[in-house]
Amino acid sequence: MSEFDDNPRRYEHLSRIRLEDPDAVARAAAVRRRHPGLKLGEQNFIVAADHPARGALAVGENPTAMADRRDLLDRMQEALANPAVDGVLASPDIMDDLLLLGALEGKLLFGSMNRGGLAGYVNEMDDRFTGHSAAALEALGATGGKMLTRICLGDPATVATLESTAKAIDSLAERRLVAMVEPFISVWDNGRVRNDLSTDAVIKSIAIASGLGATSAYTWMKLPVVQDMERVMAATTMPTVLLGGDPSGTAEEIYSSWGAALRLPGVQGLTVGRTLLYPKQGSVGEAVATAASLLKSRTEQEIAS
């Protein structure tokens, strides 16, 4: 049985608002209470929900885990209700739903910018910017935009992705908005795109992504937790958030690896979605609370020092 309300009409009012009063989204964005701001030593906890816009609905062995929008909104609201969660990373459709629900009061907003590299698509590496624009994010009062930057040396579409990413970084920087860049060295493996999660590959992706755009003043890195994170974090001076990805391993192993990485210099927090929204064990609330406790312990350590 679901831990959430299973009334199929529970979000019917969103459809009515979208039909009768679409300007309500802009009004909700304009009047919402903003996050107090970013500060070194105060790690941020951001919940991600931009996967469906790329056709990536699977979590673990369930190929359609994220297909039910009502269930996803239930899970997002449960996560965002924890005051330790600072914000959201979402595609425009989910961001608009959450704004209309009043779930983003006092939160950081990061919009998902490039969703054109559809999961399983023959031209997946041609990852075009089909989501939030920098101008749209400015209008929403967002903190910044996130871009997936997969670098496949064997695919000529990579250069277009790099160029588009550079232009997006510039457009965000012109508005003093954060560019959250999520780089990977990727390869085609039996007709599917696979990200190389070796330490050296992650370091190489950082080196390439860090040089994109005319300025790096507003650029952050969004990086996977891999082996030898000390070497990974030595590759950049940019604020870095850790991603969760599609969960693998036990919950204890995942949280332990996050906790160790969060203690490294330059790590600004977590930007995690599926691992917490669809936990292998326990509820969404419990998973979020456990992840939040990792950041809290780091803050306490810094205060103590």
Side-chain angles (χ1 to χ4, degrees):
M1 177 177 292
S2 171
E3 62 183 289
F4 303 108
D5 180 5
D6 59 0
N7 179 358
R9 294 185 177 275
R10 63 191 182 278
Y11 291 115
E12 189 174 27
H13 65 292
L14 295 181
S15 298
R16 182 174 64 253
I17 293 171
R18 287 175 172 278
L19 177 67
E20 299 176 353
D21 186 19
D23 286 344
V25 173
R27 292 200 304 274
V31 302
R32 77 176 185 90
R33 177 168 49 86
R34 304 297 177 89
H35 187 274
L38 302 165
K39 186 181 297 185
L40 182 66
E42 295 183 6
Q43 291 182 316
N44 300 116
F45 187 0
I46 300 163
V47 177
D50 60 340
H51 314 85
R54 204 172 63 81
L57 301 175
V59 179
E61 297 181 357
N62 184 347
T64 59
M66 301 188 79
D68 188 324
R69 182 53 55 89
R70 295 170 300 191
D71 179 65
L72 176 56
L73 290 175
D74 288 339
R75 294 172 183 273
M76 287 297 297
Q77 289 195 92
E78 176 75 10
L80 289 164
N82 188 319
V85 175
D86 292 286
V88 65
L89 163 60
S91 53
D93 54 326
I94 296 175
M95 187 80 79
D96 292 348
D97 279 340
L98 293 172
L99 283 168
L100 291 174
L101 290 167
L104 300 180
E105 292 299 303
K107 304 297 185 182
L108 300 168
L109 306 188
F110 286 90
S112 193
M113 301 182 75
N114 61 328
R115 299 283 81 189
L118 304 181
Y121 179 43
V122 65
N123 284 337
E124 186 171 344
M125 293 305 304
D126 184 1
D127 201 351
R128 302 191 184 193
F129 282 64
T130 58
H132 282 114
S133 65
L137 291 170
E138 182 180 38
L140 282 178
T143 306
K146 168 253 184 177
M147 57 214 74
L148 177 61
T149 307
R150 292 173 293 184
I151 303 159
C152 182
L153 301 182
D155 194 316
T158 291
V159 68
T161 298
L162 294 176
E163 182 181 32
S164 297
T165 298
K167 290 179 178 179
I169 290 171
D170 289 346
S171 187
L172 289 165
E174 288 172 2
R175 295 167 170 82
R176 298 183 178 180
L177 299 178
V178 171
M180 184 187 287
V181 183
E182 182 179 4
F184 290 101
I185 299 297
S186 303
V187 297
W188 282 103
D189 186 1
N190 293 320
R192 300 183 65 86
V193 173
R194 175 176 60 81
N195 296 326
D196 185 343
L197 298 180
S198 66
T199 303
D200 286 346
V202 173
I203 291 172
K204 186 173 184 177
S205 75
I206 294 170
I208 295 169
S210 296
L212 296 174
T215 177
S216 63
Y218 293 88
T219 301
W220 290 13
M221 290 288 119
K222 180 172 183 271
L223 302 176
V225 178
V226 298
Q227 293 293 322
D228 204 354
M229 282 300 291
E230 292 85 357
R231 284 182 59 213
V232 169
M233 289 309 302
T236 182
T237 58
M238 295 175 184
T240 297
V241 291
L242 308 176
L243 64 92
D246 196 0
S248 61
T250 67
E252 291 76 14
E253 291 170 339
I254 293 170
Y255 293 132
S256 176
S257 66
W258 291 355
L262 283 164
R263 291 190 289 272
L264 296 174
V267 177
Q268 183 60 25
L270 293 170
T271 300
V272 181
R274 291 169 290 184
T275 305
L276 302 180
L277 294 175
Y278 301 87
K280 293 182 177 181
Q281 297 176 336
S283 67
V284 172
E286 291 168 342
V288 170
T290 300
S293 71
L294 302 176
L295 280 76
K296 181 179 180 181
S297 64
R298 168 156 167 82
T299 302
E300 289 173 345
Q301 289 171 7
E302 290 182 340
I303 292 173
S305 63

